[in-house]
């Protein structure tokens, strides 16, 4: 009777599967003599004993709705008769200790006692499962871990600076992460610890899996203030078995790193404090204890927060958030055929706006001022995000109220009314927003119409850029989008969703094109908009834009090729050994100086090619190898600096090069000579600068870029 687990354990040690299969089969078949004989053999194999205990534990979890009976972990528990050797190993498995190592430290008699107890437990559990079946419904541990994950993600969405701070703290344990195999970005570690504590609290408060609503989050705070107690709860937590790839490394790393465990506790204390503070019941009830019943819908963001009974604070008014938010004046006047004095009452699921993030701007400024950062990781400062209630943090639904041109009045389900200032000017955010909501209420297709003009403006801006002398292809954002969106998909909404993976209702940052396409996706996601004539026009305009970007991106793809790859392509065209030697030496130089550079305007790649050509020329003329040729030798022959007014005319320079190559036997018009082909490329005139009409051969421009007196690189061979 084969047991699960495979031929090796988690530590990579061999497990005798046939032996365990024979033992289990004998036990199920009732052959006592075979069981006694095989138990002796199993006891001699620590890895086999460990596997038997693990399977017995796993089967008990499945037959006991995710929990372990106390007699399997507590010595001398009155509810059962498990031997201490067995309970010791079960506790070790639960705590993610290397169980095979623990077995090796036991005597043969102790291992036999543990194996005998594990076998009896396993057969008993299998008998129960055979008659009653396994209960695959969600367990208390699974539900507590799910709630914990939601709370951690909710906290990070409410406090982005906390996420950034935690990310920096997590990086301090980078070596330990690799050593222990810790997965993810740390949020799973926070969720596991909080899930363990919530599970522990639920067991103490007798909260059942059928109804978690009475679960009180703040009751885990005393344990979080003591990392030692939190570590003990984590070690004893019977986590859902399917999370072992996460649970085992986190438990092991936490056990050996008290600092790591203390940091997890500190961040979870902050998360719970913010969570309780933002509970809408806490605004009205003194001494309120935040429960899952009150905050569950808000955590899942599938409904607005529940509201407590009315109090004198009901309907209190707060100011509309406006710092950083932007809303353009609507492109249309008030809806035709409607009373201009009508007071509109509009139900909206959410209101998406553009907002500039001061925190991201400070981050970018700090990076730009840090000279030690060679590749700055700038953040987008503008993003899309839903307007949230300043009181409860809900992203909707809301009831918008007002007449055309009035300040905005926005009612939240928590009873708070968000208002524009009564004396706000015509360009007030709330006034403009209310106009947009009224236009969309009168005609949902306005959500599509309002985006047609920005799309046309973006395309016109792109057209003017392409006509400029400095244009070198679409920017990185456009290239990424053109390569990510599936333009062959018949469903534009699905294609944009797959490409962008919108983070709304969380903030979604991005460049101008990204935000424009996300707004288009938001509009087209509504059937009333998508199926309207204006919706179809918007979809067609988006497809035309994406098609144009794809075509332009493909046209400029060569300039995005890495310099080193371009040089290898030239080298692969063949040629005499001395020519290959020159290329090999040039590639070594290019990898030192330009490993991360792309072809761009071609100056660097042309300069490297010219260096290879000059090395070959000098080595052939001197009948020597290329090793002894220096950058000064190349500079003296090529006469760089031709862009300066006092510099010689490049034409004679190129003529002398052509004569010397011809004297070496090269037909400069030949198609089968790689030296001649490269020469013709380098002899082609290119713009000397981004601005102006002056042109010069690619050879002299490239060498001046790498070796000229004013060169930024001044390379050495």
């Amino acid at each position: 009777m084969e047991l699960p687990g495979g031929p090796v354990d988690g530590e990579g040690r061999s497990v005798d599967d046939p032996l365990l299969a024979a033992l289990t089969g004998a036990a199920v078949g009732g052959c006592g003599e075979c069981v006694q004989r095989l138990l002796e053999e199993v006891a001699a194999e620590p890895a086999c004993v460990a596997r038997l205990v693990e399977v017995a534990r796993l089967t008990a979890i499945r037959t006991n709705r995710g929990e372990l009976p106390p007699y399997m972990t507590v010595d001398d528990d009155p509810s059962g008769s498990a031997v201490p050797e067995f309970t010791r190993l079960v506790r070790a498995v639960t705590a993610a200790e290397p169980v095979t190592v623990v077995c090796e430290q036991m005597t043969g008699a102790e291992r036999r006692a543990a194996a005998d107890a594990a076998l009896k437990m396993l057969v008993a559990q299998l008998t129960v499962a055979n008659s009653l079946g396994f209960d695959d419904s969600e367990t208390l541990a699974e539900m507590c871990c799910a709630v914990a994950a939601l709370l951690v993600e909710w906290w990070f969405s409410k406090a982005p600076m906390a996420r950034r701070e935690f990310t920096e703290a997590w990086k301090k344990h980078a070596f330990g992460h690799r050593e222990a195999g810790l997965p993810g970005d740390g949020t799973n570690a926070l969720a596991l610890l909080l899930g363990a504590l919530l599970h522990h609290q639920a067991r103490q408060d007798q909260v059942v899996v059928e109804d978690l609503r009475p679960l009180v989050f703040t009751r885990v705070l005393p344990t979080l203030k003591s990392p030692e107690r939190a570590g003990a709860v984590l070690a004893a937590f019977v986590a859902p078995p399917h999370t072992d790839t996460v649970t085992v490394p986190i438990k092991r790393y936490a056990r050996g790193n008290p600092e790591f465990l203390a940091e997890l506790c500190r961040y979870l204390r902050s998360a719970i404090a913010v969570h309780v503070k933002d509970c809408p019941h806490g605004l009205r009830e003194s001494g309120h204890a935040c429960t899952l019943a009150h905050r569950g819908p808000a955590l899942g963001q599938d409904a607005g927060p529940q509201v407590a009974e009315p109090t004198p604070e009901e309907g209190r008014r707060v100011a509309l958030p406006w710092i950083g938010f932007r809303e353009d004046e609507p492109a249309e006047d008030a809806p035709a055929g409607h009373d201009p004095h009508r007071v509109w009452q509009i139900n909206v699921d959410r209101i998406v706006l553009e907002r500039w993030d001061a925190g991201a701007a400070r981050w970018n400024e700090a990076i730009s001022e840090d000279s030690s950062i060679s590749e700055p990781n700038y953040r987008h400062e503008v993003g899309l995000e839903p307007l949230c209630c300043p009181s409860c943090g809900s992203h909707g639904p809301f009831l918008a109220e007002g007449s055309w041109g009035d300040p905005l009045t926005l009612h939240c389900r928590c009873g708070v009314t968000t208002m524009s200032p009564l004396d706000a000017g015509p360009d007030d955010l709330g006034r403009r927003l209310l106009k947009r909501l009224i236009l969309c209420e009168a005609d949902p297709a306005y959500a599509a119409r309002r985006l047609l003009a920005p799309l046309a403006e973006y395309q016109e801006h792109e057209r003017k850029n392409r006509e400029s002398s400095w244009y070198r292809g679409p920017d990185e954002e456009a290239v990424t989008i053109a390569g990510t969106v599936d333009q062959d998909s018949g469903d534009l909404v699905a294609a944009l969703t797959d490409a962008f993976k919108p983070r709304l209702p969380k903030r979604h940052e991005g460049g101008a094109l990204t935000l424009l396409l996300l707004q288009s996706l938001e509009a087209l996601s509504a059937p009333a908009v998508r199926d309207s004539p204006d919706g179809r026009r918007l979809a067609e305009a988006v497809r035309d834009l994406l098609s144009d970007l794809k075509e332009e991106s493909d046209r400029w793809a060569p300039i995005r090729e890495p310099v080193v790859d371009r040089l290898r392509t030239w080298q692969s065209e063949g040629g005499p050994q001395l020519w290959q030697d020159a290329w090999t030496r040039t590639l070594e130089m290019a990898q030192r100086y330009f490993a991360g550079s792309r072809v761009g305007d071609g100056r660097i790649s042309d300069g490297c090619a010219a260096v290879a050509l000059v090395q070959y020329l000098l080595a052939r003329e001197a009948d020597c190898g290329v090793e002894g040729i220096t950058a000064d030798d190349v500079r003296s022959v090529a006469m760089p600096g031709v862009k300066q007014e006092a510099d010689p005319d490049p034409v004679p320079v190129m003529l002398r090069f052509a004569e010397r190559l011809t004297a070496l036997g090269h037909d400069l018009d030949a198609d089968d000579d790689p030296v001649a082909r490269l020469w013709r490329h380098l002899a082609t005139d290119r713009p000397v600068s981004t601005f102006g009409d002056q042109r010069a051969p690619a050879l002299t421009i490239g060498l001046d870029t790498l070796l000229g007196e004013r060169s930024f690189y001044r390379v050495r061979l």
Side-chain angles (χ1 to χ4, degrees):
M1 186 172 178
E2 186 176 354
L3 298 184
V8 294
D9 63 9
E11 311 301 322
R13 302 183 185 229
S14 176
V15 178
D16 192 339
D17 269 351
L19 175 60
L20 288 175
L23 174 62
T24 311
V28 172
C31 181
E33 181 180 348
C34 294
V35 167
Q36 296 305 315
R37 174 176 55 81
L38 293 171
L39 269 177
E40 293 296 334
E41 297 182 34
V42 168
E45 299 286 342
C48 288
V49 176
R51 172 64 57 78
L52 193 58
V53 171
E54 290 169 352
V55 174
R57 173 185 175 274
L58 179 61
T59 307
I61 291 174
R62 292 201 60 192
T63 55
N64 288 274
R65 299 196 67 184
E67 306 293 339
L68 279 177
Y71 61 80
M72 291 187 69
T73 57
V74 179
D75 295 336
D76 301 322
D77 185 84
S79 62
S81 57
V83 298
E85 294 83 359
F86 174 71
T87 56
R88 175 188 174 189
L89 292 180
V90 172
R91 291 194 298 268
V93 175
T94 303
E97 296 178 17
V99 188
T100 301
V101 175
V102 177
C103 286
E104 289 174 344
Q105 297 169 353
M106 301 170 71
T107 65
E110 290 174 331
R111 285 196 296 270
R112 191 185 189 288
D116 186 31
L119 184 63
K120 291 176 181 176
M121 295 278 184
L122 177 59
V123 172
Q125 299 290 348
L126 289 176
T127 303
V128 171
N130 186 53
S131 58
L132 301 178
F134 288 116
D135 185 352
D136 292 325
S137 60
E138 198 166 18
T139 65
L140 182 63
E142 289 173 331
M143 296 186 71
C144 287
C145 286
V147 169
L150 281 174
L151 192 145
V152 170
E153 192 57 39
W154 172 90
W155 175 51
F156 280 152
S157 68
K158 294 283 290 183
M161 294 299 293
R163 179 188 286 274
R164 184 185 305 170
E165 182 183 346
F166 178 72
T167 300
E168 293 301 317
W170 182 257
K171 289 178 181 177
K172 291 191 302 183
H173 301 277
F175 178 77
H177 295 174
R178 292 192 297 270
E179 186 180 55
L182 288 185
D185 58 0
T187 54
N188 44 26
L190 286 170
L192 176 65
L193 177 57
L194 182 57
L197 296 176
L198 290 176
H199 177 267
H200 179 71
Q201 193 60 45
R203 296 287 298 274
Q204 285 192 334
D205 293 347
Q206 297 182 342
V207 176
V208 295
V209 67
E210 288 77 14
D211 187 8
L212 281 182
R213 291 180 301 171
L215 189 61
V216 180
F217 296 102
T218 50
R219 292 189 183 170
V220 304
L221 285 173
T223 306
L224 285 171
K225 292 177 181 177
S226 172
E228 293 79 10
R229 287 174 58 192
V233 172
L234 177 63
F237 175 49
V238 182
H242 66 269
T243 66
D244 279 352
T245 54
V246 171
T247 301
V248 170
I250 290 175
K251 282 189 174 185
R252 289 184 177 181
Y253 193 70
R255 183 171 62 247
N257 294 269
E259 180 187 356
F260 171 72
L261 188 60
E263 285 179 348
L264 294 183
C265 291
R266 178 168 65 87
Y267 283 103
L268 286 176
R269 291 200 303 271
S270 300
I272 292 174
V274 173
H275 179 74
V276 174
K277 176 184 175 183
D278 283 354
C279 179
H281 290 257
L283 298 173
R284 297 169 177 78
E285 300 173 0
S286 59
H288 166 69
C290 184
T291 65
L292 183 59
H294 295 158
R295 295 298 279 146
L299 284 179
Q301 298 195 357
D302 57 355
Q306 298 184 20
V307 182
E309 292 297 322
T311 70
E313 288 189 74
E314 181 73 9
R316 68 188 182 90
R317 301 187 173 192
V318 298
L320 176 73
W322 60 272
I323 296 178
F325 287 102
R326 186 173 82 88
E327 177 72 19
D328 293 332
E329 182 68 23
E332 300 179 11
D333 293 330
H338 292 277
D339 181 358
H341 302 294
R342 171 184 172 180
V343 177
W344 293 77
Q345 292 187 326
I346 305 167
N347 288 303
V348 289
D349 289 332
R350 66 183 183 194
I351 301 172
V352 178
L353 295 166
E354 282 189 23
R355 187 177 74 83
W356 174 78
D357 187 353
R362 288 193 295 270
W363 172 273
N364 292 341
E365 183 179 3
I367 289 179
S368 66
E369 293 176 353
D370 190 341
S371 59
S372 66
I373 302 177
S374 58
E375 297 182 4
N377 181 23
Y378 291 112
R379 291 178 52 189
H380 290 289
E381 296 180 10
V382 179
L384 291 180
E385 60 183 66
L387 187 68
C388 68
C389 173
S391 178
C392 69
S394 170
H395 294 120
F398 299 117
L399 173 64
E401 190 175 47
S403 298
W404 182 268
D406 281 353
L408 174 67
T409 300
L410 203 64
H411 300 284
C412 178
R413 292 174 66 178
C414 71
V416 169
T417 300
T418 304
M419 298 188 65
S420 300
L422 295 178
D423 58 349
D427 59 348
D428 171 60
L429 169 70
R431 290 184 189 271
R432 290 181 171 181
L433 181 55
L434 180 57
K435 289 180 179 179
R436 194 228 294 183
L437 296 177
I438 291 174
L439 288 168
C440 288
E441 179 72 5
D443 180 9
Y446 173 75
R449 285 199 304 277
R450 78 184 192 93
L451 296 171
L452 291 172
L455 274 172
E457 289 175 7
Y458 181 87
Q459 288 179 298
E460 178 63 17
H461 180 70
E462 276 293 295
R463 184 189 64 78
K464 290 182 178 179
N465 284 347
R466 294 173 190 179
E467 294 175 353
S468 303
S469 59
W470 49 262
Y471 183 70
R472 291 294 179 272
D475 59 25
E476 185 176 344
E477 178 193 28
V479 171
T480 301
I481 290 173
T484 305
V485 179
D486 180 10
Q487 299 187 37
D488 295 329
S489 172
D491 188 342
L492 179 61
V493 171
L496 292 175
T497 302
D498 291 342
F500 288 102
K501 296 178 175 51
R503 289 184 284 277
L504 294 172
K506 301 172 186 175
R507 178 180 173 85
H508 192 124
E509 298 174 346
L513 178 60
T514 296
L515 300 185
L516 186 55
L517 292 176
L518 279 172
Q519 288 173 310
S520 301
L521 171 60
E522 179 82 2
L524 293 172
S525 296
V529 178
R530 183 174 60 250
D531 298 335
S532 68
D534 291 310
R536 290 191 286 271
R537 286 175 57 204
L538 176 63
E540 183 180 356
V542 170
R543 288 188 182 278
D544 289 344
L545 173 61
L546 292 172
S547 177
D548 179 65
L549 288 176
K550 176 64 174 171
E551 182 179 341
E552 188 71 4
S553 174
D554 292 344
R555 187 165 73 89
W556 287 90
I559 74 168
R560 299 193 296 273
E561 182 184 13
V563 167
V564 174
D565 289 356
R566 171 70 63 86
L567 300 182
R568 287 199 180 104
T569 300
W570 278 327
Q571 182 189 29
S572 67
E573 293 180 359
Q577 184 59 48
L578 197 60
W579 178 245
Q580 291 296 312
D581 293 344
W583 271 118
T584 300
R585 193 167 183 232
T586 302
L587 274 166
E588 291 174 355
M589 177 270 291
Q591 287 169 336
R592 290 198 305 272
Y593 289 96
F594 310 116
S597 300
R598 298 188 180 273
V599 170
D601 59 11
R603 293 168 182 263
I604 293 176
S605 57
D606 289 345
C608 292
V611 167
L613 180 65
V614 175
Q615 288 183 86
Y616 168 74
L617 176 67
L618 294 177
R620 279 285 308 274
E621 290 178 340
D623 193 19
C624 65
V626 297
E627 312 73 47
I629 297 173
T630 66
D632 288 336
D633 295 334
V634 176
R635 188 182 296 109
S636 64
V637 172
M639 301 176 64
V642 297
K643 290 186 293 184
Q644 303 177 34
E645 292 182 2
D647 290 331
D649 185 352
V651 174
V653 175
M654 300 303 292
L655 288 174
R656 283 194 294 272
F657 262 101
E659 292 171 356
R660 295 169 73 171
L661 287 170
T662 303
L664 294 176
H666 290 284
D667 179 359
L668 300 186
D669 295 323
D671 290 331
D672 58 350
D673 183 352
V675 178
R677 287 199 300 270
L678 185 67
W679 163 255
R680 290 196 296 273
H681 170 81
L682 295 175
T684 304
D685 284 347
R686 311 286 187 197
V688 170
S689 61
T690 302
F691 304 100
D693 298 327
Q694 186 181 357
R695 299 174 72 84
L699 182 143
T700 56
I701 294 175
L703 286 174
D704 187 66
T705 300
L706 267 58
L707 301 170
E709 292 298 326
R710 295 189 300 274
S711 169
F712 172 79
Y713 304 103
R714 300 285 290 179
V715 301
R716 300 178 65 85
L717 294 174

